Amino acid sequence: MWITEHFCKSIEDAMFLLNIDYTDIHCGTDSLKYNMEQLGDKGLPWVTIPSPLMSVCRLFKPQDFLFFSMLHPGEIEKLMQTVFERTRENLIRLLEQGAGPIIRFGGAEHATPPMMSPADFDRLVVAYDKPLMDICHEYECMVAVHCHGNIRHAIKRFMEMGVDQIDPVESLPWGDISLEDIREITKDQITLTGNIQFSEICDSTPDEIKKRVHGIIKTAGPERLIISTTGTPLEKLTRRQYDNYNAMIDAVLEYGW
């Protein structure tokens, strides 16, 4: 909703980008160091890295990208490979500067059903994200993944990729897999974050939120579980939203660890 015009209107536009001389922009780490110092021992900083798929997909209108990925797979692969190489360079530079302990990837949701098939997910997410995640683990960082929607196939691949945490874990009826099944698959490898839909924060009562939190902890916790909303407000909180956020936190403190 914030993009008024995408960079590429056609696959030819995207191919033209590959012919432009690339200027390597060094990632500035001054702000990263400052924020880590300010945070101190009050939390863990997350450094978000766009998956190559995200960088390529968002060159186009979303529906155009889906068409191009089917009609021009060779060209899309060229874009993916180029973005992968540049992302890898920047990731290593950040890691060498001390980024971590959590590196978070975003973009896998662009290849989940109903937009794309499991085979597409393997081709566009697993093939490009796993080598980057392996680098993070080599630097002794944990890997987090942001992925909305239908994750039944994706979550099995995340296990194989060595992912340490996923969010926002949208289970039934918002996703295509139950929270019980998600926990059964992830076992004690992956920390689950989320499962309170932001729509619930908008529409529920504090008592309903507390019951939901209690149910989530009984099903998937208390270990390897972080309860949060699946989205965040983009505007000033209403009174109900404020009360429900507080109810969620109070319930976690009451029922969790």
Side-chain angles (χ1 to χ4, degrees), residues 80-134:
M80 291 287 297
Q81 186 62 38
T82 299
V83 170
F84 168 79
E85 292 169 358
R86 295 174 184 177
T87 302
R88 181 179 181 276
E89 291 175 8
N90 281 327
L91 173 60
I92 292 174
R93 190 176 293 124
L94 283 168
L95 291 168
E96 290 179 344
Q97 294 291 327
I102 301 171
I103 306 298
R104 182 174 183 247
F105 289 78
E109 62 202 32
H110 291 296
T112 55
M115 282 80 69
M116 288 189 165
S117 70
D120 291 324
F121 186 91
D122 294 349
R123 176 172 59 91
L124 296 172
V125 177
V126 178
Y128 290 96
D129 282 13
K130 188 178 186 305
L132 299 176
M133 293 176 181
D134 290 343

Side-chain angles (χ1 to χ4, degrees), residues 167-179:
D167 73 273
V169 188
E170 292 174 308
S171 58
L172 297 173
W174 299 281
D176 64 344
I177 185 172
S178 69
L179 185 57

Side-chain angles (χ1 to χ4, degrees), residues 58-90:
R58 295 192 176 181
L59 291 173
F60 312 94
K61 289 182 179 180
Q63 62 269 33
D64 286 348
F65 171 74
L66 294 178
F67 286 130
F68 295 151
S69 67
M70 292 184 292
L71 299 175
H72 303 282
E75 287 84 349
I76 294 298
E77 291 290 345
K78 288 180 182 178
L79 291 168
M80 291 287 297
Q81 186 62 38
T82 299
V83 170
F84 168 79
E85 292 169 358
R86 295 174 184 177
T87 302
R88 181 179 181 276
E89 291 175 8
N90 281 327

